[in-house]
């Protein structure tokens, strides 16, 4: 579904990504883990077109999207939940969700899909008129995810959904991620919370300073000594 | 009937409503801190006046011409400055306003610093009222359309807007173009009312006045722009009647603005969101008062 082939990305003179290779197959949850500042967000932004790769290609369903602008990429079916959630603070929950459907032509079914999002995120139910800025961090994360789903993506990019949230809420959000995946959305999940990410995803990539250093099935990675030492705080 | 003095006041309120509501589209709805709106007024004023004087354009045609030339410059300034945010955009638009002023000061066709005289008086109370209604109608239609939703998304969070598939560059250019169009229309009405224009009428202070109207009235509110324009136009006039204190009227005027920003930073109209959310008015106040709580993003 998604192929990132030898992608390098720069911020000015600083190279943030070095020849990244990532593959996501339909129906999978793939996670990208690594410490702060290794280039996880940059990878997602390169995929979604917010930053241009200076080398390599990004293919989505066989189509080269490396040079496409972000709005075209959303139209093709890739939706991103940005790091730090970025809800529209002074718009209501419902308006936030409707904004997520901006690219859609089928206006009639949007209201239906808003209801669907409320089913997926029961905590948001009945609060359509509340301003998004007044939600708790966890609720904002849920809203941002629901909003991203409103564009009916084939591939959902999640950038650190656990960031700054209490452990209990994180667990809840990861359950919902699994649920979204069961309903047919492929997911690329960026996380610092390696433990939970590896337990949720099917396959994983480990990044260090702009490079992918390890990859494999999450079961294998969970048992990998290097991963256990560096990311799971063991041994 | 209304005395000429009051008619002039109402006409000024109308023109300023056009200026404020079009700037409100840029600042209040799209969140782009543009403080050079007088540049578009100036371009519209000169362009329309010149075609009236030299080519005898019918009034409506010259107004349209002025507005379209201003639009062209709105698009031109919009495109390169779109990557700029907050303070940086403010400085760029301010610079643009100064460039326009200096160019008009030095051109022969505009009469340089002497100004352009002998423009026929064509703006009447009726034309201004009609122009205000058209402006508000069109801006309202835009705000309540798909374009308006894109603009509001950009104001709320530009990165998120981009993630929603909104072509932010495209919509920001539209926003500047539309804002400039109506700014230019205001300028054309102004030129054909006062019959005399000079570059310094559309300088920095003029831009700041437009900004004050938007902020005072309430950002992101059409009624706010109207009320702001009325207040800013009328208050200095009302203060004239203070008799002995008339000399202090600009001081009082300034004090009213400062107090307003402290007491009701969201403007006369415009809801306060919640205690922890700082309105744009508040940010502006803090920045200008040198209290520096605002971040880089305006
Ligand atoms: N806008 C930027 N300008 C310059 N450098 C940046 C910018 N954004 C990120 N970086 C740098 O790129 C590297 C990767 O950042 P990022 O992708 O945000 O990491 P992560 O998401 O894994 O924490 C870091 O060294 C960071 O400092
Ligand atoms: Mg990151």
């Amino acid at each position: 579904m998604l192929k990132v082939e030898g992608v390098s990305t720069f911020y000015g003179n600083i190279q943030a990504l070095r020849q990244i290779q990532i593959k996501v197959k339909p129906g999978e949850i793939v996670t990208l883990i690594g410490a702060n500042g290794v280039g996880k967000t940059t990878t997602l932004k390169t995929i979604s077109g917010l930053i241009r790769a200076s080398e390599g290609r990004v293919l989505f369903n066989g189509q080269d999207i490396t040079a496409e602008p972000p709005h075209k990429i959303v139209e093709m079916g890739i939706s991103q939940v940005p790091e730090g959630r970025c809800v529209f603070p002074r718009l209501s929950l419902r308006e936030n969700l409707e904004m997520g459907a901006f690219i859609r032509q089928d206006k009639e079914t949007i209201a239906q899909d808003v209801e669907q999002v409320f089913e997926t995120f029961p905590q948001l139910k009945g609060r359509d008129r509340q301003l998004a800025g007044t939600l708790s961090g966890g609720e904002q994360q849920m809203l941002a995810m629901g909003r991203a789903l409103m564009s009916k993506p084939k591939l959902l990019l999640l950038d650190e959904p656990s960031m700054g949230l209490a452990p209990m809420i994180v667990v809840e959000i990861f359950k919902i991620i699994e649920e979204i995946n069961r309903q047919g959305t492929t997911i690329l999940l960026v996380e610092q919370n390696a433990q939970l990410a590896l337990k949720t995803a099917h396959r994983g990539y480990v990044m260090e300073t702009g490079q992918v250093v390890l990859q494999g099935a999450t079961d294998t990675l969970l048992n990998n000594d290097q991963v256990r030492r560096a990311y799971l705080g063991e041994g | 009937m209304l005395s000429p003095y009051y008619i002039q006041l109402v006409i000024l309120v109308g023109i300023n409503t056009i200026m404020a509501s079009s700037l409100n589209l840029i600042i209040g709805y799209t969140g782009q801190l543009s403080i050079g709106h007088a540049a578009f007024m100036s371009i519209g004023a000169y362009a329309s006046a010149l075609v009236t004087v030299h080519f005898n354009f019918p009034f409506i045609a010259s107004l349209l011409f002025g507005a379209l030339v201003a639009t062209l410059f709105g698009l031109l300034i919009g495109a390169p400055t779109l990557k700029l945010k907050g303070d940086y955009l403010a400085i760029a638009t301010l610079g643009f306003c100064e460039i326009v002023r200096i160019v008009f000061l030095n051109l022969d066709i505009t009469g340089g610093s002497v100004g352009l005289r002998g423009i026929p008086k064509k703006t009447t109370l009726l034309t201004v009222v009609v122009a205000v209604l058209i402006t508000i109608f069109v801006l309202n239609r835009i705000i309540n359309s798909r374009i308006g939703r894109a603009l509001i998304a950009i104001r709320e969070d530009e990165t998120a807007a981009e993630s929603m598939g909104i072509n932010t560059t495209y919509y920001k250019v539209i926003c500047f173009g539309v804002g400039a169009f109506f700014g230019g229309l205001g300028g054309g009405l102004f030129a054909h009312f006062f019959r005399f224009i000079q570059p310094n009428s559309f300088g920095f202070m003029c831009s700041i006045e437009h900004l004050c109207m938007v902020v005072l009235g309430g950002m992101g509110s059409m009624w706010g722009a109207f009320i702001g324009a009325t207040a800013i136009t009328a208050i200095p006039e009302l203060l004239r009647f203070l008799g002995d204190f008339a000399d202090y009227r600009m001081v009082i005027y300034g004090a009213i603005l400062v107090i307003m920003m402290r007491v009701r930073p969201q403007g006369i109209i415009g809801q306060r969101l919640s205690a922890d959310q700082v309105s744009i008015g508040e940010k502006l106040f803090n920045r200008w008062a040198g209290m520096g709580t605002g971040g880089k993003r305006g």
Side-chain angles (χ1 to χ4, degrees):
Chain A
M1 179 172 237
L2 180 79
K3 268 192 203 153
V4 178
E5 297 184 342
V7 160
S8 301
T9 302
F10 287 79
Y11 291 109
N13 290 325
I14 305 161
Q15 184 162 12
L17 299 182
R18 288 166 206 278
Q19 307 258 338
I20 296 279
Q21 304 273 6
I22 292 173
K23 228 165 133 179
V24 182
K25 289 180 238 157
E28 276 189 316
I29 302 180
V30 172
T31 186
L32 188 59
I33 57 173
N36 203 6
V38 298
K40 304 182 298 295
T41 297
T42 308
T43 306
L44 288 193
K45 284 186 172 172
T46 308
I47 295 169
S48 59
L50 293 171
I51 311 176
R52 293 266 152 262
S54 50
E55 189 187 1
R57 298 196 302 169
V58 181
L59 299 176
F60 183 58
N61 289 332
Q63 206 174 343
D64 190 337
I65 61 166
T66 324
E68 296 289 348
H71 61 102
K72 281 274 184 299
I73 293 175
V74 177
E75 281 170 18
M76 288 177 186
I78 301 182
S79 189
Q80 181 178 9
V81 179
E83 192 173 51
R85 310 185 261 280
C86 301
V87 296
F88 300 117
R90 288 177 295 182
L91 301 187
S92 71
L93 255 72
R94 181 171 288 273
E95 286 168 331
N96 265 271
L97 293 177
E98 284 168 354
M99 211 60 104
F102 187 82
I103 57 158
R104 281 169 55 182
Q105 308 295 333
D106 52 331
K107 300 292 169 213
E108 312 77 38
T109 47
I110 286 175
Q112 234 167 295
D113 289 321
V114 169
E115 291 315 311
Q116 180 63 43
V117 168
F118 285 134
E119 292 306 315
T120 313
F121 303 93
Q123 209 170 323
L124 301 179
K125 212 170 185 168
R127 302 164 78 175
D128 347 16
R129 295 168 67 87
Q130 192 175 339
L131 295 186
T134 63
L135 294 174
S136 74
E139 289 160 356
Q140 288 191 13
Q141 181 60 46
M142 292 176 191
L143 178 61
M145 285 164 60
R147 187 183 60 181
L149 288 174
M150 287 297 295
S151 70
K152 299 215 159 166
K154 299 181 187 93
L155 174 64
L156 183 63
L157 310 177
L158 297 174
D159 198 346
E160 296 208 36
S162 75
M163 190 192 262
L165 301 181
M168 255 172 57
I169 296 164
V170 173
V171 170
E172 200 173 318
I173 284 183
F174 272 70
K175 270 192 203 138
I176 298 175
I177 293 174
E178 285 182 321
E179 177 57 32
I180 292 170
N181 177 247
R182 259 197 299 278
Q183 289 172 8
T185 310
T186 308
I187 293 172
L188 177 55
L189 167 68
V190 157
E191 259 304 332
Q192 273 195 66
N193 187 334
Q195 178 91 28
L196 208 48
L198 289 175
K199 281 189 175 144
T200 307
H202 306 112
R203 286 190 307 115
Y205 292 83
V206 180
M207 277 186 83
E208 273 171 24
T209 55
Q211 284 170 301
V212 173
V213 290
L214 264 180
Q215 65 180 79
T218 42
D219 304 340
T220 325
L221 289 176
L222 276 167
N223 291 315
N224 181 299
D225 283 343
Q226 203 184 329
V227 172
R228 293 172 75 108
R229 258 198 313 279
Y231 301 102
L232 304 177
E234 294 171 19
Chain B
M1 271 312 285
L2 288 172
S3 73
Y5 171 74
Y6 283 109
I7 290 180
Q8 172 168 337
L9 199 57
V10 172
I11 285 180
L12 262 181
V13 165
I15 292 173
N16 282 336
T17 301
I18 294 173
M19 297 312 298
S21 54
S22 55
L23 182 60
N24 197 17
L25 183 75
I26 300 175
I27 298 187
Y29 286 95
T30 319
Q32 306 299 304
L33 187 50
S34 163
I35 53 176
H37 210 49
F40 302 127
M41 189 178 190
S42 183
I43 293 169
Y46 275 100
S48 67
L50 285 172
V51 292
T52 300
V53 171
H54 292 295
F55 302 109
N56 227 343
F57 267 41
F59 183 41
I60 305 288
S62 56
L63 282 182
L64 265 181
F65 180 78
L68 287 174
V69 174
T71 308
L72 186 68
F73 280 91
L75 300 177
L76 282 179
I77 165 94
T81 52
L82 285 173
K83 296 274 172 230
L84 303 174
K85 292 199 167 85
D87 300 354
Y88 301 102
L89 179 64
I91 290 166
T93 48
L94 179 63
F96 172 65
C97 188
E98 273 302 283
I99 290 169
V100 168
R101 189 179 67 88
I102 289 163
V103 167
F104 285 168
L105 270 177
N106 289 290
L107 285 180
D108 286 333
I109 190 169
T110 57
S113 59
V114 182
L116 192 60
R117 290 175 185 284
I119 307 163
K121 182 156 191 157
K122 295 196 172 175
T123 302
T124 61
L125 189 54
L126 181 68
T127 46
V128 169
V129 169
V130 171
V132 168
L133 291 178
I134 291 175
T135 305
I136 300 225
F137 176 77
V138 172
L139 290 177
N140 243 323
R141 283 298 285 265
I142 291 176
I143 287 155
N144 292 310
S145 71
R146 185 180 156 82
I147 299 175
R149 290 198 296 135
L151 299 182
I152 290 168
I154 292 170
R155 174 190 76 195
E156 292 293 301
D157 194 309
E158 201 169 331
T159 314
E162 235 168 340
S163 309
M164 301 298 96
I166 294 170
N167 186 346
T168 54
T169 311
Y170 170 77
Y171 286 106
K172 281 201 274 182
V173 169
I174 288 194
C175 159
F176 266 92
V178 173
F181 180 90
F182 288 107
L185 177 67
L189 290 167
F190 183 92
H192 290 84
F193 180 72
F194 288 101
R195 308 186 53 209
F196 164 67
I197 47 177
Q198 62 183 60
N200 291 339
S201 311
F202 311 106
F204 175 60
M205 277 319 292
C206 181
S207 289
I208 292 301
E209 265 188 18
H210 298 149
L211 180 66
C212 287
M213 292 170 195
V214 173
V215 174
L216 184 73
M219 293 204 201
S221 152
M222 273 294 153
W223 279 109
F226 170 66
I227 289 171
T230 309
I232 298 271
T233 313
I235 290 172
E237 298 301 321
L238 294 177
L239 293 176
R240 268 182 211 281
F241 302 115
L242 283 178
D244 286 349
F245 291 105
D247 290 347
Y248 294 106
R249 72 193 177 95
M250 291 320 277
V251 176
I252 299 173
Y253 171 64
I256 291 176
L257 284 182
V258 171
I259 292 167
M260 264 302 295
M261 282 302 97
R262 242 8 229 172
V263 180
R264 253 191 102 75
Q266 71 273 39
I268 297 171
I269 296 195
Q271 79 277 32
R272 184 161 187 92
L273 306 159
S274 65
D276 60 322
Q277 271 180 323
V278 185
S279 74
I280 306 177
E282 210 159 342
K283 275 192 207 162
L284 279 175
F285 177 86
N286 288 339
R287 193 175 301 156
W288 287 357
M291 294 157 73
T293 55
K296 255 194 232 158
R297 306 186 58 179

